[in-house]
Amino acid sequence: EMMRINRRVDYAIRVLIALAKQPPGARLSTRTIQKTMLIPKAFLLRIIAQLSKAKLIDTFPGPNGGVQLIRDPRDINIRLIWEVMERPLVISECLESPEECPLNVGCPVNARWARIQALVLQEMENATIAELADEARHLERIGAVLV
């Protein structure tokens, strides 16, 4: 239950990919993001507010307004997004509060959980929005060729 990637994180990643696919400094309307990334409007507005509060994006009101990426997509990774939308990732309660474990001293499982968590976090850090946007563009090109 702790580890499951929820919709908020998924939608936040989609919003950032949509923005990172644009030329630097470009703005997208929330309507465009909503339609291209298939995100319900109520969800989208909350996610945009959270990403804006975390200084990943900026929002501009008015007819020529919209949303703009203000952080380099190479500096935004899935771990950061997870922590902005959720809280720090902990895969096991025994890593979060080791003092509560009855087997605390010399527990062989604890060290394994710690290693697995480190690997998961490393993979999440390696997946940047810049890279995901490049992959999305590539998949769209292939899709366009196949159609």
Side-chain angles (χ1 to χ4, degrees), residues 5-25:
I5 293 161
N6 68 31
R7 278 216 184 105
R8 276 201 313 276
V9 173
D10 183 39
Y11 289 156
I13 292 169
R14 287 193 222 175
V15 168
L16 294 167
I17 288 174
L19 292 169
K21 278 162 54 183
Q22 306 304 308

Side-chain angles (χ1 to χ4, degrees), residues 12 24 26-28 30-31 37 58-59 61 64 75 83 89 109-110 114 117 123 126 130 133 136 139-140 143:
R27 291 180 196 172
L28 283 181
T30 49
R31 188 173 164 72
M37 289 299 176
D58 217 343
T59 58
N64 299 318
D75 296 336
E83 291 178 354
L89 177 80
V109 188
N110 191 304
Q117 176 164 305
E123 282 300 312
N126 290 344
L139 291 169
E140 280 160 19

Side-chain angles (χ1 to χ4, degrees), residues 1-2 79 82-90 96:
E1 184 61 341
M2 276 177 148
R79 177 181 183 174
W82 179 289
E83 291 178 354
V84 162
M85 301 308 289
E86 284 294 308
R87 58 187 189 285
L89 177 80
V90 178
E96 199 164 35

Side-chain angles (χ1 to χ4, degrees), residues 69-106:
L69 202 54
I70 52 172
R71 190 120 161 233
D72 188 326
R74 290 170 298 192
D75 296 336
I76 307 173
N77 59 47
I78 287 180
R79 177 181 183 174
L80 174 68
I81 300 163
W82 179 289
E83 291 178 354
V84 162
M85 301 308 289
E86 284 294 308
R87 58 187 189 285
L89 177 80
V90 178
I91 64 168
S92 164
E93 282 174 12
C94 72
L95 294 175
E96 199 164 35
S97 38
E99 67 285 349
E100 285 176 27
C101 173
L103 302 173
N104 192 343
V105 181

